[in-house]
């Protein structure tokens, strides 16, 4: 029963290159959330996706960042033309149902181990 | 604005000692509060989750308390072990919202 799988674990990119981060949710989970964590900072929400739909991208920068969760395959967070400030740990979480505040998820909202992006 | 404040920012204790971490929140309307443990280089792992009606919950040596009136929670770690060294994150969810509010975490270091 694999958990949330993220790859790669570490990614080094030169300024101006593209970074692609992948997240495979837990089996049976159809909701994916991406977070960014800067050094010494807390986790910041970026985007929430269901299969083939972006539900909320209010935390994602308007330029260079995009996310998708296709019908088949993992969710992808894509950063174009990376800059040094994009260096961070990017975490993905998944859940099995639409989690509003009223729903106490004893089963879902599980985090992956993250992808550490370093831009040189 | 929904906010979660944690204290202390960092804490160093000796192995075997107890410690208590604090979390104050202004999330409204309150729905549930979670404590996560995040080891260095890993993703957060859930320790406890409490709803409005619960004021204490234990998970092994970890005991979380919740005072919904004062909007405060604490995480008590008993008989600390070296493996408890990690960041402990308080996360509060509001009713009707699927985006929880994260605290910045307390960094705990347990020394032998």
């Amino acid at each position: 029963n694999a958990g949330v799988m993220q790859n790669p674990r570490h990614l080094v990119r030169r300024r101006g290159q593209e970074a692609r981060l992948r997240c495979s949710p837990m089996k049976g989970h159809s909701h994916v959330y991406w977070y960014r964590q800067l050094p010494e900072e807390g986790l910041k929400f970026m985007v929430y996706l269901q299969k083939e739909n972006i539900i909320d991208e209010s935390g994602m920068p308007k330029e260079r960042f995009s996310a998708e969760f296709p019908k088949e395959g993992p969710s992808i967070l894509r950063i174009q033309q990376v800059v040094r400030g994009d260096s961070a740990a990017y975490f993905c979480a998944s859940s099995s149902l639409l989690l509003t505040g009223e729903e106490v998820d004893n089963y879902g909202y599980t985090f992956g181990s993250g992808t550490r992006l370093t831009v040189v | 604005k929904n906010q979660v404040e944690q204290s202390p920012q960092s804490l160093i204790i000796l192995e075997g000692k107890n410690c208590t971490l604090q979390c104050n929140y202004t999330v409204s309307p309150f729905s549930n509060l979670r404590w996560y443990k995040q080891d260095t280089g890993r993703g957060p792992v859930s320790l406890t989750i409490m709803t409005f009606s619960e004021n204490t919950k234990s998970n092994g040596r970890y005991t979380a308390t919740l005072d919904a009136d004062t909007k405060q929670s604490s995480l008590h770690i008993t008989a600390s072990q070296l493996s408890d060294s990690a960041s402990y994150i308080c996360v509060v969810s509001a009713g009707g919202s699927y985006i929880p509010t994260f605290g910045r975490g307390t960094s705990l270091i347990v020394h032998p």
Side-chain angles (χ1 to χ4, degrees), chain A residues 40-96:
Chain A
E40 308 302 323
E41 297 280 331
L43 285 151
K44 302 294 185 188
F45 169 79
M46 297 182 73
V47 61
Y48 164 40
L49 310 103
Q50 293 180 34
K51 284 285 188 181
E52 301 185 276
N53 287 305
I54 296 175
I55 307 302
D56 187 319
E57 56 182 349
S58 59
M60 200 150 69
K62 294 289 186 288
E63 297 179 353
R64 301 188 297 109
F65 285 72
S66 62
E68 62 177 9
F69 189 15
K71 187 176 181 181
E72 301 291 338
S75 175
I76 306 286
L77 179 66
R78 184 181 173 203
I79 311 172
Q80 295 177 293
Q81 299 175 336
V82 296
V83 300
R84 288 226 171 100
D86 296 332
S87 295
Y90 292 84
F91 290 96
C92 166
S94 73
S95 67
S96 58

Side-chain angles (χ1 to χ4, degrees), chain B residues 96-107:
Chain B
S97 172
Y98 44 70
I99 304 173
T101 303
F102 284 73
R104 293 180 64 163
T106 291
S107 175

Side-chain angles (χ1 to χ4, degrees), chain A residues 9 33 35 37 40-45 48 55-56 58 91 98-106 108-114 116, chain B residues 9 31-32 34 36 38-46 49-51 57 87 89 93-100 102-105:
Chain A
R9 287 296 309 276
Y33 312 76
Y35 290 83
Q37 187 174 37
E40 308 302 323
E41 297 280 331
L43 285 151
K44 302 294 185 188
F45 169 79
Y48 164 40
I55 307 302
D56 187 319
S58 59
F91 290 96
L98 173 61
L99 293 177
T100 63
E102 290 83 13
E103 289 160 343
V104 179
D105 63 307
N106 292 317
Y109 219 87
T110 303
F111 280 90
S113 293
R116 271 136 199 90
Chain B
Q9 187 174 350
S31 175
N32 64 76
R34 302 186 188 97
Y36 282 89
Q38 184 177 20
D39 292 312
T40 301
R42 310 293 298 181
V45 174
S46 181
I49 180 167
M50 290 183 291
T51 59
K57 185 164 280 190
S87 179
I89 304 169
S93 293
S97 172
Y98 44 70
I99 304 173
F102 284 73
R104 293 180 64 163

